[in-house]
Amino acid sequence: MDQQAAIDFITQADISKVKYAFADVDGVLRGKIISKQKFLDGLTDGYGFCDVVWGWDCTDTPYDNGALTGWQSGYPDAPVRIDLSTLRQVPWENGIPLFLADFSQPGNTPDWVACPRSLLKRIAAQCREMGYHAEYAQEFEWFNFRETPQSLQQKGFRQLEPLTPGMFGYSMLRPSLENAFNNDLFDGLTQFDVALEGLHTETGPGVYEAAILHDEVVRAADKATLFKTAVKEIAYRHGIVATFMAKWNADLPGCSGHIHQSLWTPDGSKNLFFDASQPDRISPLMRQFIAGQLHCLPHITPMFAPTVNSYKRLVEGAWAPTTVTWSLDNRTTALRVLNRSEAYTRVEHRVSGADTNPYLAIAAALASGLYGIRHQLSLDIDPSTGNGYADTRNGVLPTNLADATRKMAQSPVAAELFGPEFVDYFTRTRDWEARQYARQVSDWELKRYFEII
């Protein structure tokens, strides 16, 4: 929908209020419900929003190392601007209009450095300037529990009841138990303009996987971000709590957020990753793109694995990669090439977990691929065959958030990709996250050391 059509719809519709939301650094949607008049009044100059949303973590605890905003600045308002092209109606909330927003600035004024959507818009603009149309999609795995927010707290997040028991990957039986929930997910998301290619159970009790239909890169990230919150909201209405934690249980598979990516001609008519005359039908451009992603990956791992918990998923034999590898249709590597036909030739980035901020993960994927093209990197490493966990020719991924954050903070590669200001802001938030974990005493420690040591 174009801008004038969106304005006309709001002006003429029989509504009294509008929702708008934006993703913070953790990918959490923050926003407000505002009156129709306030919506119309703020279209030119934006809406004041307390900049604490860039100065606290996912639990609303202020950072102690923030430089962008903090107690020292008094947490003033910053202007958030609605993107009128993102208008959709929320079908499970009586059709209330919803817009996505960001902290992008008009003209040549620098964007708010912390805003993930603004960062992705900048990377997408670079892609267009290089002559490419980026087509992206993210898929997610998540676990569902027959719980409520209140019962989670009362149980201390222990002894939770999964939606269905047992390991039933790709089951046709288990979804029939929750037919109403499944239909509301598929149909509700479609009506919400977050159309799915597929929805199925994964292996594990109460775990689902959904693939979102591909789109232009910024719209794809919008849909991925909305998908996570929409799933949770739909689940609430069925007495279910959905979690996108990377690894909620050590004995069960983790939850991925794989990113599918391809570059096309500006008019979208030709997939530039496909070349029937080349070995394995992989174009020279695609080889440079893969080389860039492999080169940059160890420098920017926190963009794909942003929490302490992320690294519990990135372990051998858990359907998630641990090595800096690529392959032809091999699910044990960091990058997986799918190239059976031109229409579907793409690179699947398998490091990214379900706990990612889609704007940041997709920005990192695109920026690192463009880095390879810009620097004309050669893909000197052959594709992995067999067990990618054993292929350490090109190095391994960081094993914890603290180490990954230190590497990114000191990396000239990260600074080139995203700008030193964003890298400084983002790595400060990840350093905070790692330190919050380091100071905790876990159940594992109590059971292991309490009596015997």
PDB file of all heavy atoms in Angstrom, residues 64-90:
ATOM      1  N   ASP A  64      24.343  -0.609  32.409  1.00  0.00           N
ATOM      2  CA  ASP A  64      25.281   0.166  33.222  1.00  0.00           C
ATOM      3  C   ASP A  64      26.473   0.653  32.409  1.00  0.00           C
ATOM      4  O   ASP A  64      27.366   1.309  32.940  1.00  0.00           O
ATOM      5  CB  ASP A  64      25.773  -0.664  34.419  1.00  0.00           C
ATOM      6  CG  ASP A  64      26.605  -1.875  34.011  1.00  0.00           C
ATOM      7  OD1 ASP A  64      26.881  -2.055  32.803  1.00  0.00           O
ATOM      8  OD2 ASP A  64      26.986  -2.663  34.907  1.00  0.00           O
ATOM      9  N   ASN A  65      26.483   0.330  31.106  1.00  0.00           N
ATOM     10  CA  ASN A  65      27.619   0.689  30.264  1.00  0.00           C
ATOM     11  C   ASN A  65      27.184   1.448  29.017  1.00  0.00           C
ATOM     12  O   ASN A  65      27.910   1.515  28.035  1.00  0.00           O
ATOM     13  CB  ASN A  65      28.379  -0.575  29.843  1.00  0.00           C
ATOM     14  CG  ASN A  65      27.507  -1.554  29.054  1.00  0.00           C
ATOM     15  OD1 ASN A  65      26.290  -1.399  28.993  1.00  0.00           O
ATOM     16  ND2 ASN A  65      28.126  -2.551  28.458  1.00  0.00           N
ATOM     17  N   GLY A  66      25.967   1.995  29.052  1.00  0.00           N
ATOM     18  CA  GLY A  66      25.440   2.662  27.866  1.00  0.00           C
ATOM     19  C   GLY A  66      26.094   4.000  27.610  1.00  0.00           C
ATOM     20  O   GLY A  66      26.338   4.776  28.538  1.00  0.00           O
ATOM     21  N   ALA A  67      26.380   4.255  26.341  1.00  0.00           N
ATOM     22  CA  ALA A  67      26.939   5.543  25.939  1.00  0.00           C
ATOM     23  C   ALA A  67      25.944   6.348  25.111  1.00  0.00           C
ATOM     24  O   ALA A  67      26.011   7.572  25.071  1.00  0.00           O
ATOM     25  CB  ALA A  67      28.223   5.338  25.134  1.00  0.00           C
ATOM     26  N   LEU A  68      24.997   5.665  24.475  1.00  0.00           N
ATOM     27  CA  LEU A  68      24.036   6.339  23.610  1.00  0.00           C
ATOM     28  C   LEU A  68      22.991   7.094  24.417  1.00  0.00           C
ATOM     29  O   LEU A  68      22.636   8.233  24.099  1.00  0.00           O
ATOM     30  CB  LEU A  68      23.355   5.316  22.698  1.00  0.00           C
ATOM     31  CG  LEU A  68      22.383   5.862  21.668  1.00  0.00           C
ATOM     32  CD1 LEU A  68      23.118   6.743  20.662  1.00  0.00           C
ATOM     33  CD2 LEU A  68      21.668   4.725  20.946  1.00  0.00           C
ATOM     34  N   THR A  69      22.491   6.458  25.464  1.00  0.00           N
ATOM     35  CA  THR A  69      21.524   7.095  26.352  1.00  0.00           C
ATOM     36  C   THR A  69      21.669   6.453  27.722  1.00  0.00           C
ATOM     37  O   THR A  69      22.220   5.356  27.859  1.00  0.00           O
ATOM     38  CB  THR A  69      20.090   6.932  25.822  1.00  0.00           C
ATOM     39  OG1 THR A  69      19.194   7.696  26.649  1.00  0.00           O
ATOM     40  CG2 THR A  69      19.648   5.480  25.832  1.00  0.00           C
ATOM     41  N   GLY A  70      21.196   7.117  28.746  1.00  0.00           N
ATOM     42  CA  GLY A  70      21.324   6.589  30.104  1.00  0.00           C
ATOM     43  C   GLY A  70      20.939   7.631  31.123  1.00  0.00           C
ATOM     44  O   GLY A  70      20.414   8.702  30.784  1.00  0.00           O
ATOM     45  N   TRP A  71      21.203   7.321  32.383  1.00  0.00           N
ATOM     46  CA  TRP A  71      20.900   8.289  33.433  1.00  0.00           C
ATOM     47  C   TRP A  71      21.624   9.605  33.172  1.00  0.00           C
ATOM     48  O   TRP A  71      21.136  10.680  33.524  1.00  0.00           O
ATOM     49  CB  TRP A  71      21.296   7.730  34.801  1.00  0.00           C
ATOM     50  CG  TRP A  71      20.576   6.467  35.178  1.00  0.00           C
ATOM     51  CD1 TRP A  71      21.121   5.240  35.366  1.00  0.00           C
ATOM     52  CD2 TRP A  71      19.173   6.314  35.402  1.00  0.00           C
ATOM     53  NE1 TRP A  71      20.152   4.314  35.674  1.00  0.00           N
ATOM     54  CE2 TRP A  71      18.944   4.952  35.724  1.00  0.00           C
ATOM     55  CE3 TRP A  71      18.080   7.179  35.362  1.00  0.00           C
ATOM     56  CZ2 TRP A  71      17.677   4.448  35.991  1.00  0.00           C
ATOM     57  CZ3 TRP A  71      16.816   6.680  35.631  1.00  0.00           C
ATOM     58  CH2 TRP A  71      16.627   5.340  35.943  1.00  0.00           C
ATOM     59  N   GLN A  72      22.807   9.518  32.538  1.00  0.00           N
ATOM     60  CA  GLN A  72      23.601  10.716  32.292  1.00  0.00           C
ATOM     61  C   GLN A  72      22.927  11.663  31.303  1.00  0.00           C
ATOM     62  O   GLN A  72      23.208  12.863  31.284  1.00  0.00           O
ATOM     63  CB  GLN A  72      24.991  10.334  31.787  1.00  0.00           C
ATOM     64  CG  GLN A  72      25.075   9.809  30.350  1.00  0.00           C
ATOM     65  CD  GLN A  72      24.732   8.335  30.219  1.00  0.00           C
ATOM     66  OE1 GLN A  72      24.330   7.699  31.189  1.00  0.00           O
ATOM     67  NE2 GLN A  72      24.889   7.787  29.020  1.00  0.00           N
ATOM     68  N   SER A  73      22.027  11.122  30.464  1.00  0.00           N
ATOM     69  CA  SER A  73      21.357  11.964  29.469  1.00  0.00           C
ATOM     70  C   SER A  73      19.930  12.318  29.877  1.00  0.00           C
ATOM     71  O   SER A  73      19.310  13.190  29.260  1.00  0.00           O
ATOM     72  CB  SER A  73      21.337  11.251  28.113  1.00  0.00           C
ATOM     73  OG  SER A  73      20.516  10.093  28.169  1.00  0.00           O
ATOM     74  N   GLY A  74      19.400  11.632  30.886  1.00  0.00           N
ATOM     75  CA  GLY A  74      18.043  11.907  31.336  1.00  0.00           C
ATOM     76  C   GLY A  74      16.963  11.231  30.526  1.00  0.00           C
ATOM     77  O   GLY A  74      15.786  11.525  30.710  1.00  0.00           O
ATOM     78  N   TYR A  75      17.333  10.329  29.637  1.00  0.00           N
ATOM     79  CA  TYR A  75      16.373   9.581  28.821  1.00  0.00           C
ATOM     80  C   TYR A  75      15.347  10.498  28.147  1.00  0.00           C
ATOM     81  O   TYR A  75      14.140  10.406  28.399  1.00  0.00           O
ATOM     82  CB  TYR A  75      15.649   8.533  29.670  1.00  0.00           C
ATOM     83  CG  TYR A  75      16.555   7.458  30.219  1.00  0.00           C
ATOM     84  CD1 TYR A  75      16.765   7.340  31.594  1.00  0.00           C
ATOM     85  CD2 TYR A  75      17.204   6.551  29.376  1.00  0.00           C
ATOM     86  CE1 TYR A  75      17.604   6.342  32.114  1.00  0.00           C
ATOM     87  CE2 TYR A  75      18.035   5.562  29.889  1.00  0.00           C
ATOM     88  CZ  TYR A  75      18.228   5.464  31.260  1.00  0.00           C
ATOM     89  OH  TYR A  75      19.043   4.485  31.759  1.00  0.00           O
ATOM     90  N   PRO A  76      15.769  11.373  27.238  1.00  0.00           N
ATOM     91  CA  PRO A  76      14.813  12.245  26.541  1.00  0.00           C
ATOM     92  C   PRO A  76      14.034  11.476  25.474  1.00  0.00           C
ATOM     93  O   PRO A  76      14.295  10.303  25.207  1.00  0.00           O
ATOM     94  CB  PRO A  76      15.727  13.287  25.890  1.00  0.00           C
ATOM     95  CG  PRO A  76      16.995  12.526  25.613  1.00  0.00           C
ATOM     96  CD  PRO A  76      17.158  11.579  26.791  1.00  0.00           C
ATOM     97  N   ASP A  77      13.087  12.163  24.847  1.00  0.00           N
ATOM     98  CA  ASP A  77      12.360  11.587  23.724  1.00  0.00           C
ATOM     99  C   ASP A  77      13.222  11.609  22.466  1.00  0.00           C
ATOM    100  O   ASP A  77      14.046  12.504  22.271  1.00  0.00           O
ATOM    101  CB  ASP A  77      11.074  12.371  23.448  1.00  0.00           C
ATOM    102  CG  ASP A  77       9.942  11.967  24.377  1.00  0.00           C
ATOM    103  OD1 ASP A  77      10.120  11.005  25.147  1.00  0.00           O
ATOM    104  OD2 ASP A  77       8.885  12.622  24.334  1.00  0.00           O
ATOM    105  N   ALA A  78      12.999  10.626  21.623  1.00  0.00           N
ATOM    106  CA  ALA A  78      13.577  10.595  20.280  1.00  0.00           C
ATOM    107  C   ALA A  78      12.424  10.429  19.294  1.00  0.00           C
ATOM    108  O   ALA A  78      11.412   9.808  19.625  1.00  0.00           O
ATOM    109  CB  ALA A  78      14.568   9.447  20.147  1.00  0.00           C
ATOM    110  N   PRO A  79      12.547  10.978  18.094  1.00  0.00           N
ATOM    111  CA  PRO A  79      11.431  10.897  17.141  1.00  0.00           C
ATOM    112  C   PRO A  79      11.379   9.555  16.429  1.00  0.00           C
ATOM    113  O   PRO A  79      12.307   9.168  15.724  1.00  0.00           O
ATOM    114  CB  PRO A  79      11.728  12.035  16.156  1.00  0.00           C
ATOM    115  CG  PRO A  79      13.220  12.193  16.190  1.00  0.00           C
ATOM    116  CD  PRO A  79      13.649  11.830  17.592  1.00  0.00           C
ATOM    117  N   VAL A  80      10.280   8.843  16.623  1.00  0.00           N
ATOM    118  CA  VAL A  80      10.026   7.602  15.890  1.00  0.00           C
ATOM    119  C   VAL A  80       9.074   7.927  14.750  1.00  0.00           C
ATOM    120  O   VAL A  80       8.149   8.733  14.910  1.00  0.00           O
ATOM    121  CB  VAL A  80       9.446   6.515  16.824  1.00  0.00           C
ATOM    122  CG1 VAL A  80       8.130   6.950  17.445  1.00  0.00           C
ATOM    123  CG2 VAL A  80       9.258   5.202  16.076  1.00  0.00           C
ATOM    124  N   ARG A  81       9.332   7.335  13.584  1.00  0.00           N
ATOM    125  CA  ARG A  81       8.534   7.649  12.398  1.00  0.00           C
ATOM    126  C   ARG A  81       7.871   6.390  11.857  1.00  0.00           C
ATOM    127  O   ARG A  81       8.514   5.350  11.719  1.00  0.00           O
ATOM    128  CB  ARG A  81       9.401   8.314  11.333  1.00  0.00           C
ATOM    129  CG  ARG A  81       9.788   9.731  11.712  1.00  0.00           C
ATOM    130  CD  ARG A  81      10.666  10.396  10.671  1.00  0.00           C
ATOM    131  NE  ARG A  81      10.785  11.822  10.948  1.00  0.00           N
ATOM    132  CZ  ARG A  81      11.606  12.342  11.863  1.00  0.00           C
ATOM    133  NH1 ARG A  81      12.393  11.544  12.558  1.00  0.00           N
ATOM    134  NH2 ARG A  81      11.640  13.648  12.071  1.00  0.00           N
ATOM    135  N   ILE A  82       6.597   6.502  11.555  1.00  0.00           N
ATOM    136  CA  ILE A  82       5.807   5.389  11.025  1.00  0.00           C
ATOM    137  C   ILE A  82       6.105   5.215   9.541  1.00  0.00           C
ATOM    138  O   ILE A  82       6.212   6.196   8.785  1.00  0.00           O
ATOM    139  CB  ILE A  82       4.319   5.652  11.258  1.00  0.00           C
ATOM    140  CG1 ILE A  82       3.954   5.384  12.732  1.00  0.00           C
ATOM    141  CG2 ILE A  82       3.446   4.812  10.329  1.00  0.00           C
ATOM    142  CD1 ILE A  82       2.535   5.749  13.102  1.00  0.00           C
ATOM    143  N   ASP A  83       6.244   3.973   9.126  1.00  0.00           N
ATOM    144  CA  ASP A  83       6.368   3.628   7.718  1.00  0.00           C
ATOM    145  C   ASP A  83       4.977   3.271   7.211  1.00  0.00           C
ATOM    146  O   ASP A  83       4.434   2.208   7.519  1.00  0.00           O
ATOM    147  CB  ASP A  83       7.336   2.450   7.548  1.00  0.00           C
ATOM    148  CG  ASP A  83       7.583   2.097   6.092  1.00  0.00           C
ATOM    149  OD1 ASP A  83       6.755   2.463   5.233  1.00  0.00           O
ATOM    150  OD2 ASP A  83       8.599   1.430   5.804  1.00  0.00           O
ATOM    151  N   LEU A  84       4.384   4.178   6.454  1.00  0.00           N
ATOM    152  CA  LEU A  84       2.998   3.999   6.025  1.00  0.00           C
ATOM    153  C   LEU A  84       2.807   2.779   5.139  1.00  0.00           C
ATOM    154  O   LEU A  84       1.704   2.226   5.062  1.00  0.00           O
ATOM    155  CB  LEU A  84       2.520   5.261   5.298  1.00  0.00           C
ATOM    156  CG  LEU A  84       2.361   6.499   6.181  1.00  0.00           C
ATOM    157  CD1 LEU A  84       2.099   7.732   5.317  1.00  0.00           C
ATOM    158  CD2 LEU A  84       1.226   6.305   7.177  1.00  0.00           C
ATOM    159  N   SER A  85       3.873   2.336   4.461  1.00  0.00           N
ATOM    160  CA  SER A  85       3.733   1.181   3.565  1.00  0.00           C
ATOM    161  C   SER A  85       3.530  -0.125   4.321  1.00  0.00           C
ATOM    162  O   SER A  85       3.212  -1.148   3.718  1.00  0.00           O
ATOM    163  CB  SER A  85       4.978   1.055   2.675  1.00  0.00           C
ATOM    164  OG  SER A  85       6.119   0.651   3.420  1.00  0.00           O
ATOM    165  N   THR A  86       3.709  -0.094   5.649  1.00  0.00           N
ATOM    166  CA  THR A  86       3.603  -1.325   6.441  1.00  0.00           C
ATOM    167  C   THR A  86       2.216  -1.552   7.016  1.00  0.00           C
ATOM    168  O   THR A  86       2.025  -2.460   7.828  1.00  0.00           O
ATOM    169  CB  THR A  86       4.619  -1.311   7.596  1.00  0.00           C
ATOM    170  OG1 THR A  86       4.296  -0.241   8.506  1.00  0.00           O
ATOM    171  CG2 THR A  86       6.044  -1.136   7.085  1.00  0.00           C
ATOM    172  N   LEU A  87       1.245  -0.765   6.619  1.00  0.00           N
ATOM    173  CA  LEU A  87      -0.114  -0.897   7.166  1.00  0.00           C
ATOM    174  C   LEU A  87      -0.653  -2.313   6.985  1.00  0.00           C
ATOM    175  O   LEU A  87      -0.602  -2.896   5.912  1.00  0.00           O
ATOM    176  CB  LEU A  87      -1.048   0.092   6.475  1.00  0.00           C
ATOM    177  CG  LEU A  87      -2.553  -0.084   6.771  1.00  0.00           C
ATOM    178  CD1 LEU A  87      -2.839   0.132   8.251  1.00  0.00           C
ATOM    179  CD2 LEU A  87      -3.376   0.855   5.902  1.00  0.00           C
ATOM    180  N   ARG A  88      -1.134  -2.873   8.070  1.00  0.00           N
ATOM    181  CA  ARG A  88      -1.897  -4.122   8.041  1.00  0.00           C
ATOM    182  C   ARG A  88      -2.886  -4.059   9.196  1.00  0.00           C
ATOM    183  O   ARG A  88      -2.733  -3.252  10.121  1.00  0.00           O
ATOM    184  CB  ARG A  88      -0.988  -5.348   8.161  1.00  0.00           C
ATOM    185  CG  ARG A  88      -0.222  -5.361   9.421  1.00  0.00           C
ATOM    186  CD  ARG A  88       1.262  -5.685   9.348  1.00  0.00           C
ATOM    187  NE  ARG A  88       1.716  -6.671   8.418  1.00  0.00           N
ATOM    188  CZ  ARG A  88       2.759  -6.437   7.610  1.00  0.00           C
ATOM    189  NH1 ARG A  88       3.368  -5.256   7.614  1.00  0.00           N
ATOM    190  NH2 ARG A  88       3.204  -7.383   6.806  1.00  0.00           N
ATOM    191  N   GLN A  89      -3.909  -4.869   9.131  1.00  0.00           N
ATOM    192  CA  GLN A  89      -4.900  -4.941  10.199  1.00  0.00           C
ATOM    193  C   GLN A  89      -4.709  -6.232  10.974  1.00  0.00           C
ATOM    194  O   GLN A  89      -4.396  -7.278  10.386  1.00  0.00           O
ATOM    195  CB  GLN A  89      -6.313  -4.848   9.632  1.00  0.00           C
ATOM    196  CG  GLN A  89      -6.624  -3.493   9.008  1.00  0.00           C
ATOM    197  CD  GLN A  89      -7.995  -3.445   8.385  1.00  0.00           C
ATOM    198  OE1 GLN A  89      -8.158  -3.706   7.194  1.00  0.00           O
ATOM    199  NE2 GLN A  89      -9.010  -3.106   9.182  1.00  0.00           N
ATOM    200  N   VAL A  90      -4.902  -6.167  12.280  1.00  0.00           N
ATOM    201  CA  VAL A  90      -4.681  -7.320  13.147  1.00  0.00           C
ATOM    202  C   VAL A  90      -5.979  -8.111  13.230  1.00  0.00           C
ATOM    203  O   VAL A  90      -6.931  -7.696  13.900  1.00  0.00           O
ATOM    204  CB  VAL A  90      -4.234  -6.880  14.554  1.00  0.00           C
ATOM    205  CG1 VAL A  90      -3.866  -8.113  15.384  1.00  0.00           C
ATOM    206  CG2 VAL A  90      -3.049  -5.917  14.474  1.00  0.00           C
TER     207      VAL A  90
END
